[in-house]
Amino acid sequence: MEAVEVEEITRVFEPRRRSGTRVVALDEVSLTVPTGEIHGLLGPNGAGKTTLVKILSTVLLPTSGKARVLGHDVVDETEAVRPLIGIVFGGERGLYWRLSGRQNLEYWGALYKLSSREAKERAQQLLERVGMADKADERVEEYSRGMKQRLHLARGLMGDGKVLFLDEPTTGMDPLAAREFRALIGELRDEGRTILLATHDMVEAEMVCDRVTLIDRGKVIATESPRTLGQVLSRFQRIDVEGVPLVVLDEIRAIRGVASVTAVDGVGTRIEVDEEGATQLVLERLVSAGATSVRTSLPSLEEVYVQLIGERGMEI
Amino acid sequence: MSAVATTLNVMQHAFRAGIADYRAIFTWKSWLAGWYVRVLAQVAFFALIGERLGDDEKTYYLLVGNSLLIAAQVGVFSLNMTSAERWAGTLPLLVASPSSPVVVFSARGAYLAIDGSLSALGALFIAGPLFGMDLPWPRVLAVVPLTLLVGLASYGFGTFLAGIVFRYRSINSLVVVTTYVSLMAACGVNVPLSYYPEPLELLARFLPLTNGLLAIRGVFAGLPAVEIVGNAALELAVGFGWMTAALMSFNRLASRGRRDGSLDFGA
Ligand SMILES: Nc1ncnc2c1ncn2[C@@H]1O[C@H](COP(=O)(O)OP(=O)(O)OP(=O)(O)O)[C@@H](O)[C@H]1O
Ligand SMILES: [Mg+2]
């Protein structure tokens, strides 16, 4: 059985006021996540990620279409779905700040129908697992942002959900915590859980997911392996540089794999590369020309989309 | 665990969460110095007015009424509970859990019923003798459960208001003020119900303080037990009714939220 099946889900938000506009947050989205997969839902702001996660976690109704979690309809069979899922969303909310971390977990344990003893045991295990055991009895309001996030993850695991919905779970974490978090996601998969990870972070999606569905403006663009994503990421690079003589820029423009060289306000010159290996040649040339302040960065998600779509001759 | 056991377990945890909220605001010392002294002062103020009028009966009338008003007012504070929940951003998570949010709300603010009752009893049993009121032993013991009943009924009413305030955020303070004034003016705190036109008296019977207060006055006046129990039963019914209405409105709130998208993750 598939863990998550989404069939042509559409969700329209009608305007609350007469002057408001109608938003099609999801437009006939279909996707399938087999049991045991870490599936990325990658898209820029407003793509519809949270909307889909909400529908799957039974807190929002679709306008049309069907969705099932482990075979149960998320609209009609909420009682069957809810015990099977765990939810984690980014940010600092969703916790009781005046309770301790441990009390929060035990509270949710009760809501997930654990006996007090089971809840105590699981809370302790999870606190250790997310590295919060030594802070467990402090009030949440005293936690740092990243600590709240870790507690949030533990909270999402209190019900021992077989399918986990993670919506931007690493927002607010420092890089080290985010790395540990990703390792933990891998462990959860190894325990046989299925994970749907909504994110706008391409690197995160590439690192942890088995497959990634790219969505934009409510539509699925493609489902890719993270390797394809990785290739795109390593091929397309952006180099920002200041104070380079025009002659040198002309030379760089001639290097194979350099897509564009443009002047950008406030940045200096932006060089975009679209072939593996070209970045290195460009950097070498810049350094030998004595350029200072050279910065490389990843392309934006939109740019990657444009590339992927362009290559496939797809239309948005 | 059985369905009943899991429900009670959720209520117990929700109750404890409420207590933790409260303990973050008050310590024993600050409760006594900051709150309880205020309660005593408020009750004494009205009792002094009665003394000014040179009438013991009026003094005791005001003293009992204003003491019990405290129990009702504190119970009704539970209407703030949902703003707390909204602020915490936990509502979508409650809805997505296998338990009903309604169960949580039925217990989350119940500490207020206890706090209100203790404050009221404390005021009555300290200010009462100070003003020379005698507490007919052991009859007076009946006042304790009756006060708790008023606290609980008011908690049910407050929970109902919480559901309204949740949906119509903008009228939050209007609801608070109106409730406060109606409890004080219409429930027989300072003047007997008979003072008002009959329709108003009937309406007042639906508020969570009126019947309980009549029962308690009956205890002090030495009325027959039937009459006291009758009023107590009405108080219980009113509290139960409001609580049922509250739970239904929370259910509707959740299903509406699913439809219109107002259950926001963390927003
Ligand atoms: N309750 C709502 N009422 C009206 N419009 C909404 C509501 N929720 C979402 N939308 C709109 O639906 C679209 C998709 O939003 P959604 O939150 O699903 O995007 P997202 O991919 O999660 O974005 P982000 O990366 O910003 O979290 C947006 O245009 C948003 O404004
Ligand atoms: Mg989102």
Side-chain angles (χ1 to χ4, degrees):
Chain A
M1 195 200 312
E2 310 286 4
V4 177
E5 295 162 276
V6 178
E7 284 168 26
E8 297 183 355
I9 286 275
T10 295
R11 171 70 213 207
V12 179
F13 290 107
E14 298 296 341
R16 297 229 176 121
R17 290 192 202 85
R18 209 174 282 171
S19 57
T21 48
R22 194 169 171 270
V23 178
V24 182
L26 293 174
D27 190 0
E28 304 205 340
V29 166
S30 298
L31 67 93
T32 328
V33 184
T35 302
E37 179 171 277
I38 302 180
H39 195 99
L41 197 58
L42 180 64
N45 292 132
K49 306 180 293 290
T50 299
T51 304
L52 184 57
V53 168
K54 277 187 179 176
I55 289 175
L56 291 172
S57 44
T58 77
V59 299
L60 183 68
L61 297 177
T63 307
S64 64
K66 283 241 166 270
R68 280 181 292 275
V69 172
L70 293 170
H72 301 290
D73 190 279
V74 297
V75 174
D76 299 324
E77 299 172 71
T78 51
E79 287 190 19
V81 174
R82 287 173 181 163
L84 299 172
I85 60 174
I87 302 166
V88 179
F89 51 72
E92 305 184 60
R93 317 222 15 245
L95 299 165
Y96 295 100
W97 285 28
R98 294 206 167 124
L99 300 187
S100 70
R102 189 190 303 283
Q103 287 169 329
N104 265 280
L105 295 186
E106 289 177 8
Y107 173 89
W108 288 100
L111 282 154
Y112 279 82
K113 312 204 167 181
L114 304 182
S115 71
S116 294
R117 218 196 55 219
E118 290 168 314
K120 274 199 168 59
E121 281 172 14
R122 193 169 300 161
Q124 180 60 29
Q125 283 166 10
L126 288 171
L127 285 162
E128 283 167 19
R129 196 162 183 183
V130 299
M132 291 289 295
D134 54 334
K135 300 276 186 197
D137 297 304
E138 280 174 33
R139 273 203 214 133
V140 169
E141 61 192 350
E142 281 152 34
Y143 288 2
S144 70
R145 211 182 141 92
M147 284 157 67
K148 291 194 191 98
Q149 266 311 99
R150 281 191 267 169
L151 182 64
H152 219 318
L153 175 65
R155 193 211 65 81
L157 297 173
M158 270 309 278
D160 198 23
K162 302 295 172 259
V163 180
L164 304 176
F165 298 116
L166 314 181
D167 190 4
E168 317 254 2
T170 52
T171 358
M173 285 190 189
D174 61 42
L176 183 67
R179 196 159 76 199
E180 285 172 5
F181 181 85
R182 288 166 193 149
L184 183 57
I185 294 181
E187 285 174 32
L188 293 170
R189 188 240 340 252
D190 296 341
E191 294 167 8
R193 293 177 219 274
T194 309
I195 292 155
L196 185 68
L197 170 68
T199 180
H200 61 252
D201 184 337
M202 286 175 289
V203 178
E204 180 167 274
E206 189 217 336
M207 282 195 311
V208 300
C209 296
D210 300 315
R211 285 193 309 150
V212 180
T213 292
L214 305 164
I215 69 169
D216 189 20
R217 279 169 278 172
K219 285 190 184 275
V220 171
I221 291 174
T223 296
E224 299 283 355
S225 75
R227 199 185 318 136
T228 316
L229 204 61
Q231 280 167 358
V232 173
L233 289 179
S234 64
R235 249 169 52 212
F236 298 98
Q237 287 265 351
R238 194 150 66 181
I239 302 155
D240 291 333
V241 66
E242 279 171 76
V244 184
L246 284 176
V247 230
V248 179
L249 290 181
D250 282 337
E251 268 178 54
I252 287 175
R253 204 170 266 126
I255 296 177
R256 216 189 108 165
V258 172
S260 68
V261 178
T262 42
V264 177
D265 278 351
V267 172
T269 306
R270 172 163 293 173
I271 303 163
E272 287 182 324
V273 160
D274 66 0
E275 226 173 273
E276 195 132 28
T279 306
Q280 205 183 338
L281 294 174
V282 172
L283 289 177
E284 278 167 10
R285 186 65 198 93
L286 286 172
V287 171
S288 68
T292 50
S293 123
V294 179
R295 271 170 296 128
T296 63
S297 59
L298 291 172
S300 73
L301 196 48
E302 284 83 354
E303 286 164 323
V304 171
Y305 280 3
V306 170
Q307 291 299 337
L308 284 171
I309 292 160
E311 276 171 26
R312 291 154 176 253
M314 282 193 297
E315 281 178 33
I316 318 186
Chain B
M1 286 198 293
S2 73
V4 175
T6 52
T7 304
L8 288 177
N9 196 27
V10 171
M11 288 176 74
Q12 188 194 332
H13 276 84
F15 180 69
R16 289 216 306 243
I19 299 258
D21 267 354
Y22 198 58
R23 293 243 312 249
I25 306 171
F26 284 120
T27 60
W28 269 115
K29 258 193 215 150
S30 69
W31 188 86
L32 281 173
W35 168 247
Y36 186 61
V37 166
R38 213 190 95 191
V39 165
L40 268 184
Q42 186 175 327
V43 171
F45 172 78
F46 283 97
L48 280 170
I49 293 179
E51 288 223 313
R52 272 299 210 181
L53 300 171
D55 184 340
D56 274 355
E57 207 174 306
K58 279 220 174 68
T59 307
Y60 304 151
Y61 192 91
L62 290 170
L63 204 147
V64 172
N66 283 284
S67 295
L68 265 293
L69 177 63
I70 306 276
Q73 279 168 349
V74 176
V76 169
F77 281 158
S78 60
L79 76 91
N80 293 322
M81 154 176 75
T82 49
S83 352
E85 207 74 28
R86 189 188 310 119
W87 193 83
T90 40
L91 202 63
L93 296 173
L94 288 173
V95 170
S97 83
S99 299
S100 166
V102 161
V103 177
V104 170
F105 286 113
S106 72
R108 179 99 160 83
Y111 65 93
L112 289 166
I114 296 172
D115 178 32
S117 306
L118 287 177
S119 306
L121 289 168
L124 191 59
F125 290 150
I126 288 183
L130 282 180
F131 283 88
M133 187 172 145
D134 66 53
L135 308 172
W137 189 262
R139 281 179 74 90
V140 74
L141 284 180
V143 170
V144 176
L146 288 172
T147 303
L148 194 62
L149 187 58
V150 168
L152 283 170
S154 309
Y155 170 58
F157 186 57
T159 308
F160 170 78
L161 296 177
I164 293 185
V165 168
F166 198 99
R167 249 182 79 189
Y168 308 100
R169 253 179 263 197
S170 49
I171 59 164
N172 195 334
S173 17
L174 183 70
V175 170
V176 174
V177 172
T178 313
T179 308
Y180 200 88
V181 171
S182 332
L183 287 175
M184 194 157 63
C187 296
V189 170
N190 296 313
V191 286
L193 287 180
S194 54
Y195 187 86
Y196 292 112
E198 211 165 302
L200 201 65
E201 184 186 332
L202 190 72
L203 222 64
R205 287 273 184 173
F206 285 94
L207 286 172
L209 171 60
T210 314
N211 303 293
L213 184 53
L214 281 174
I216 288 169
R217 292 200 193 284
V219 172
F220 283 109
L223 294 187
V226 213
E227 209 160 311
I228 295 169
V229 171
N231 278 322
L234 280 176
E235 179 76 13
L236 185 68
V238 165
F240 202 78
W242 285 119
M243 190 49 112
T244 310
L247 301 187
M248 275 162 47
S249 84
F250 274 111
N251 257 338
R252 277 207 22 216
L253 203 81
S255 50
R256 233 183 104 97
R258 276 184 89 201
R259 250 178 294 129
D260 69 11
S262 55
L263 297 168
D264 265 334
F265 279 177

